[in-house]
Amino acid sequence: MKLRVSAHRETAIPMGDFNGAEYIGINEVPSPRANNARKVSVVPLVFLIFYEVSGGPFGVEDTVQAAGPLLALLGFLIFPFIWSIPEALITAEMGTMFPENGGYVVWVSSALGPYWGFQQGWMKWLSGVIDNALYPVMFLDYLKSAIPALGGGLPRTIAVLALTVVLTFMNYRGLTIVGWAAVSLGILSILPFVVMGLISIPKLRPERWLVADVRSVDWNLYLNTLFWNLNYWDSISTLAGEVHNPKKTLPKALFYAVILVVLSYFFPLLIGTGAVPLQRDLWTDGYFSDIAKMLGGVWLRVWIQGAAAMSNMGMFVAEMSSDSFQLLGMAERGMLPEFFAKRSRYGTPLFGILFSASGVVLLSWLSFQEIVAAENFLYCFGMILEFIAFVWLRIKCPNAQRPFKIPGGTVGAILLCIPPAILICVVLAFSSIKVMVVSLIAVAIGLVMQPCLKFIEKKRWLKFSVSSDLPDITTHGSLLH
């Protein structure tokens, strides 16, 4: 299939809308499916994105410890304009231009070639698996006050393994189940904070929101926590082949998810910092459950702890879905051995799930701060490649049909990437030497791995193949003509 170049200039459309253009060439191409599993609609997709990015306010507490209430609140208001909205817009445009599993791997491959597409896939998959290792840890951190045995030792190890197995099985059973499970978990995770907000109204003291001491800010912890809580908008692109009518559904879902995520962070922080006297050293992972007890009693604390547990379950299954379908998409493009494209009888990527789950188990021993810093470092490298691919395709293929197109032309595309690119440099600059060294070793492994896989393919030790159902995205294909 060839991408026809539009003879007319496309009209710019707002986020969450669709210009009605017929998508020709890089079409609504479903990745090869082993069955007729149902595709994901708007509502489940919104909550899958919500859990890819957020899952609720659990994990934002460190921003208050690092910088105080004022900077924490401002961070979750300003940071989305610098990072989240640009990333969501780019995901909407590129995800509808290439609506197939593999997402950002396909974008980078089409612009920069398969070598850099593989590097993108390696860094983003590794970052996602590192991210997923957080959720069993956070799950148990919220429960350990009620069940002290989960604080460490053999009981904690067994709990991590058991939790990983159960949630991995949910992914195996199908993306539709995961999507509606995310909706249910999302509602249950947000509801107790609505109740806590109503209870807190008489106790709110607005002057507490203005407390700030710039001299005592831990910028490394502050920026890493903000960045971790407001990134991963592009992860949903690796499921584009499983989405119903992605050219309309994906932009709408991203639009609604941005609003949901920002509100789910800002208002709980507003409640917690305004209704309770400030003790910055107490603002660590799990502190919202303590605030709930102060405001409403033990029953509200238990509810928040349950919501946190469900939130971490939702984030785990959403992230694993993204990671495993990314591997499937890479296999369909011939970047990984063919067995990664094998689906279970539920339509899910069998080997992608197994590999992603194994990575989670291996990394779950790391501390919260180490995991966040390492995944942010790798994620930054991947985002740099995405920005380059986005701008390059705008320059080389300005008239290629884009079902969703960000207004402003090529200049607008470049300007859109500048603030998040600057932020990436700042985040990388604040990384510790240990995290930097480990992350650069991981990047180096990817640089060597791709030629090794090509050697294995040449020797025919493993079978590689490109799906005939997918369009040509090579630099010599029709996209650049």
Side-chain angles (χ1 to χ4, degrees), residues 120-419:
Q120 173 76 354
W122 165 247
M123 286 185 286
K124 282 302 189 78
W125 179 80
L126 189 58
S127 173
V129 170
I130 294 171
D131 179 61
N132 230 9
L134 276 173
Y135 303 129
V137 173
M138 291 175 65
F139 181 96
L140 297 176
D141 282 345
Y142 266 88
L143 293 183
K144 68 184 180 183
S145 59
I147 310 174
L150 297 177
L154 184 60
R156 186 179 180 91
T157 302
I158 293 173
V160 168
L161 291 174
L163 188 63
T164 302
V165 169
V166 170
L167 298 179
T168 299
F169 181 73
M170 284 182 63
N171 280 92
Y172 168 74
R173 281 301 306 271
L175 191 59
T176 303
I177 291 175
V178 170
W180 285 109
V183 174
S184 303
L185 291 171
I187 293 171
L188 292 172
S189 299
I190 294 170
L191 192 57
F193 287 97
V194 175
V195 174
M196 190 166 78
L198 294 173
I199 293 173
S200 71
I201 290 174
K203 301 178 181 179
L204 290 176
R205 300 292 182 270
E207 64 272 11
R208 291 172 177 164
W209 297 328
L210 304 178
V211 176
D213 183 1
V214 178
R215 293 171 296 179
S216 65
V217 173
D218 182 343
W219 291 105
N220 184 31
L221 179 61
Y222 176 68
L223 289 173
N224 267 312
T225 306
L226 277 176
F227 191 68
W228 175 66
N229 279 287
L230 285 164
N231 63 17
Y232 279 86
W233 296 95
D234 58 340
S235 292
I236 202 65
S237 68
T238 65
L239 306 175
E242 312 300 310
V243 174
H244 174 70
N245 194 9
K247 66 184 180 182
K248 295 179 68 174
T249 303
L250 187 60
K252 285 182 178 179
L254 282 162
F255 174 75
Y256 296 132
V258 167
I259 296 172
L260 180 61
V261 166
V262 173
L263 293 180
S264 73
Y265 286 146
F266 184 74
F267 283 104
L269 275 176
L270 207 63
I271 296 164
T273 55
V276 174
L278 178 64
Q279 290 182 271
R280 274 176 58 174
D281 58 313
L282 297 180
W283 278 85
T284 58
D285 184 34
Y287 188 55
F288 272 122
S289 63
D290 295 330
I291 293 174
K293 183 180 179 182
M294 295 178 213
L295 296 177
V298 175
W299 66 271
L300 187 56
R301 177 183 186 176
V302 171
W303 194 4
I304 291 287
Q305 287 175 331
M310 289 183 285
S311 173
N312 284 290
M313 289 170 62
M315 288 188 283
F316 186 100
V317 295
E319 181 64 55
M320 182 170 284
S321 294
S322 175
D323 296 341
S324 57
F325 272 101
Q326 178 197 313
L327 296 182
L328 181 145
M330 291 176 72
E332 290 175 353
R333 283 290 177 186
M335 296 181 184
L336 292 175
E338 192 180 61
F339 66 80
F340 277 103
K342 179 178 175 60
R343 291 180 185 255
S344 71
R345 61 194 177 100
Y346 302 106
T348 49
L350 184 60
F351 286 96
I353 288 172
L354 291 175
F355 268 74
S356 298
S358 300
V360 169
V361 171
L362 290 172
L363 292 167
S364 59
W365 58 272
L366 293 172
S367 72
F368 183 92
Q369 285 79 13
E370 286 176 325
I371 292 174
V372 169
E375 71 154 289
N376 282 351
F377 199 97
L378 290 169
Y379 190 82
C380 286
F381 276 104
M383 286 309 303
I384 290 170
L385 287 177
E386 278 185 38
F387 293 153
I388 293 171
F390 168 64
V391 173
W392 185 248
L393 289 174
R394 276 294 189 95
I395 293 171
K396 299 298 288 186
C397 316
N399 296 318
Q401 289 207 26
R402 293 165 168 87
F404 174 89
K405 187 174 183 179
I406 303 169
T410 302
V411 174
I414 294 171
L415 292 175
L416 184 71
C417 294
I418 291 175

